[in-house]
Amino acid sequence: MSDDFDLLETSSNEKTEKVDVNWGKAIDTMKSKLSQEDDPEVRQKILNATLDDVVHMAEKDRTTLLDAIKDLTDYQDEVGIIFEKFSALNANEQKVIDDAQKALDRAKIELEDAKAKPDTWWNNLWGRKSKIAKAEVALKEAEKVRAGADNKAKAMFQERIESADVQTLLSELSYKSQAAVTRLKNREVEIKEVEDKLQDAIVEATINHTKALEKKKEVEAKLEENYALLKQARQELEDIVDKQSAEYAQAVGKVTQLEQKVEELEGLKNAYTTLAASKDSFVHKHNLTIKVLTSLRSNLQTHRAKLKSDTEERLKYYDGYVVALKARTDQEFAAILEHLGVKTDEHIGETLASMHTASAKARQDMMDNIPVHEKVMQGVYSSYAEALQEIRAKDGEIQKNFAERYGIDMKEIFEDYYNADANTPSSDDGEPAGKPKPKTSEDDLLS
């Protein structure tokens, strides 16, 4: 830490920008909202916290910050704080103000250049007056744009922070805190300047109070002297017997003159008395004001020192909070990946296990189907043998019929056709191969 570190240092050499304050309900509104943040279930929330709970808590933090930033921005308007000097504007928002200011500066220069040309018939012939009029219109338009630039930038700012994350809102809050430190320091300087003026006023009032008392004493001395002269003149007036004489008239004039003088001196006495009392009163009023201002300045110093120090620490604290939020997100991401991996493992294992069991069942089905297949094939062969036996029996009859009717021996023809031996296999039901079967119809023979 440097040697010149002083949280309470207040330099009156710095230029102070005085801001007209228009107090409203903003402070009460913010205090009311902050008072609503007390939650008796905080401990239980901490005890039962999960990562999902943290998401909702962080979103509540963001919402609370967003509301606070909006209230502070509205408060700036109510107390006359210049918006762009109390909010962290991004490049686009700042550009709106900068472009409007540059355009206004150019318009002023162009108007000055137009007016700077000599008012001669030659310059007027070449459009001097029209250029001045055009420059004046351009200046008014530039002033209008510049006046609306703050509101436009403010609207862009408000729209941006509506969807801003916690980190952006914390940065804005920190920026406002740093700007407030400068504002408090400027206010301390302003108060100190007023205190110094009041101190000078006390000295001047004290001097005038003393002078008024001195003048009062002088007037009181003259007044006492004139009271004595007036008393003497009135006595002399009463001693004159002839009320119609010139001597009496002169005595009346003398009394009137002295009474006028006494009246003037009484007026001066009252004036100096009132002046002395007024100066004495303002000495006390100035003293009271100085005490109040000194107390306020002291409190401002305390707030500024704490705000400055806390803001520096708070930036680190906020960095930790933001990193913690990111770590929570990464942890959740890792948990999701782990969960996905486990589920994938489960699905692959399930598929592999299903493959094995399905294969085993298919093998079992294959083995189970062998006897069934053999039984079916046995039935097929049995039916085939039975049908063949019937055909041969029928062929025997045909041969015999041909031999008897046409004298043709068909035996060799049929034997060549079947190429069969004498030992024909019997059927499964044990019936003899030569047993005759029911006579078939003519359609059966042709089918």
Side-chain angles (χ1 to χ4, degrees):
M1 188 178 291
S2 60
D3 296 336
D4 58 353
F5 177 75
D6 183 7
L7 291 175
L8 297 177
E9 184 272 332
T10 301
S11 174
S12 60
N13 294 328
E14 297 181 10
K15 183 178 180 181
T16 303
E17 181 179 353
K18 297 182 180 179
V19 181
D20 293 333
V21 178
N22 178 23
W23 295 104
K25 297 181 180 180
I27 293 180
D28 293 337
T29 301
M30 284 188 288
K31 288 172 66 177
S32 175
K33 287 188 177 181
L34 290 175
S35 66
Q36 296 173 3
E37 295 302 317
D38 296 334
D39 192 344
E41 300 179 358
V42 169
R43 180 176 180 274
Q44 199 63 33
K45 286 183 178 180
I46 296 174
L47 291 175
N48 299 330
T50 65
L51 288 177
D52 290 336
D53 294 335
V54 175
V55 174
H56 299 299
M57 295 170 70
E59 178 57 28
K60 183 179 179 182
D61 291 342
R62 194 195 77 86
T63 303
T64 302
L65 272 171
L66 179 60
D67 291 341
I69 296 299
K70 290 180 179 178
D71 290 339
L72 284 171
T73 305
D74 294 337
Y75 169 72
Q76 292 167 208
D77 294 337
E78 293 200 25
V79 300
I81 302 174
I82 299 177
F83 169 72
E84 64 267 27
K85 292 188 177 181
F86 211 71
S87 293
L89 306 183
N90 63 17
N92 291 333
E93 295 157 359
Q94 188 63 52
K95 188 174 185 298
V96 172
I97 298 174
D98 293 342
D99 289 349
Q101 185 61 48
K102 291 177 182 177
L104 178 59
D105 294 339
R106 285 195 302 269
K108 289 180 179 178
I109 293 173
E110 290 175 0
L111 179 58
E112 291 175 358
D113 291 343
K115 290 182 176 180
K117 290 186 177 181
D119 187 8
T120 62
W121 70 271
W122 178 257
N123 289 333
N124 290 330
L125 180 64
W126 287 98
R128 175 182 176 274
K129 292 182 178 180
S130 62
K131 290 180 180 179
I132 292 176
K134 185 178 179 180
E136 288 176 343
V137 172
L139 178 60
K140 289 182 179 179
E141 183 63 25
E143 289 174 343
K144 182 179 179 181
V145 173
R146 178 62 186 89
D150 288 348
N151 290 332
K152 184 177 180 181
K154 179 181 176 182
M156 294 171 63
F157 168 82
Q158 293 281 39
E159 183 178 358
R160 174 170 60 89
I161 66 171
E162 282 286 345
S163 58
D165 55 15
V166 173
Q167 186 173 8
T168 302
L169 295 176
L170 288 175
S171 298
E172 174 63 20
L173 184 61
S174 299
Y175 186 90
K176 288 184 183 295
S177 298
Q178 292 168 341
V181 169
T182 302
R183 178 175 170 81
L184 291 175
K185 187 173 182 178
N186 292 339
R187 187 67 71 194
E188 292 170 38
V189 172
E190 182 181 358
I191 291 176
K192 188 65 172 63
E193 291 176 352
V194 174
E195 288 179 13
D196 292 341
K197 291 178 181 179
L198 288 173
Q199 288 287 2
D200 294 339
I202 287 175
V203 173
E204 184 178 355
T206 302
I207 293 173
N208 291 331
H209 176 262
T210 302
K211 288 181 178 180
L213 292 177
E214 292 174 352
K215 288 289 186 180
K216 178 186 174 185
K217 288 181 180 180
E218 293 178 5
V219 171
E220 286 177 341
K222 292 181 180 180
L223 187 58
E224 186 177 351
E225 179 182 349
N226 279 271
Y227 267 129
L229 293 174
L230 179 59
K231 183 178 180 180
Q232 182 181 354
R234 284 175 176 173
Q235 185 62 45
E236 291 176 354
L237 180 62
E238 290 179 1
D239 292 342
I240 298 175
V241 179
D242 187 1
K243 306 300 183 185
Q244 303 298 325
S245 63
E247 182 182 4
Y248 184 82
Q250 291 177 355
V252 171
K254 183 178 180 181
V255 169
T256 302
Q257 186 178 6
L258 287 171
E259 286 177 344
Q260 185 180 7
K261 183 67 174 177
V262 167
E263 187 67 27
E264 291 178 354
L265 291 173
E266 285 285 355
L268 285 174
K269 177 186 174 181
N270 292 334
Y272 285 124
T273 301
T274 303
L275 183 59
S278 176
K279 295 302 178 183
D280 183 62
S281 174
F282 273 106
V283 167
H284 293 296
K285 291 177 181 177
H286 292 338
N287 272 324
L288 176 60
T289 305
I290 287 176
K291 289 179 181 179
V292 172
L293 290 178
T294 302
S295 175
L296 290 173
R297 182 164 57 87
S298 176
N299 290 339
L300 285 176
Q301 285 180 331
T302 302
H303 284 299
R304 178 172 61 86
K306 188 174 186 304
L307 185 59
K308 180 179 180 182
S309 177
D310 288 356
T311 299
E312 294 173 356
E313 299 299 332
R314 201 164 278 131
L315 289 174
K316 304 169 189 174
Y317 181 57
Y318 290 164
D319 286 343
Y321 174 64
V322 172
V323 171
L325 286 180
K326 292 179 179 178
R328 189 223 68 82
T329 304
D330 293 341
Q331 183 177 348
E332 183 71 12
F333 182 62
I336 292 173
L337 288 177
E338 175 64 19
H339 180 72
L340 181 61
V342 170
K343 284 298 179 183
T344 303
D345 295 344
E346 291 176 358
H347 292 162
I348 292 176
E350 179 183 349
T351 303
L352 290 173
S354 299
M355 287 181 183
H356 183 268
T357 55
S359 177
K361 287 181 179 180
R363 176 181 55 79
Q364 290 178 350
D365 291 341
M366 178 183 67
M367 298 298 292
D368 289 341
N369 285 333
I370 289 176
V372 175
H373 175 70
E374 290 179 344
K375 186 175 181 180
V376 172
M377 291 304 296
Q378 186 178 10
V380 170
Y381 287 126
S382 176
S383 300
Y384 168 69
E386 183 178 352
L388 190 62
Q389 185 179 17
E390 291 179 355
I391 292 172
R392 284 183 171 178
K394 187 69 176 179
D395 285 343
E397 293 178 359
I398 294 174
Q399 292 177 32
K400 183 179 179 181
N401 182 268
F402 266 74
E404 291 177 352
R405 291 176 63 184
Y406 303 107
I408 300 174
D409 188 0
M410 301 296 296
K411 181 179 180 180
E412 293 182 0
I413 297 175
F414 281 94
E415 285 182 351
D416 291 339
Y417 179 79
Y418 289 109
N419 193 21
D421 54 15
N423 298 322
T424 305
S426 62
S427 61
D428 290 336
D429 54 5
E431 292 182 357
K435 183 179 179 179
K437 294 294 179 181
K439 186 176 180 179
T440 59
S441 65
E442 188 173 347
D443 291 335
D444 291 334
L445 293 175
L446 296 178
S447 63

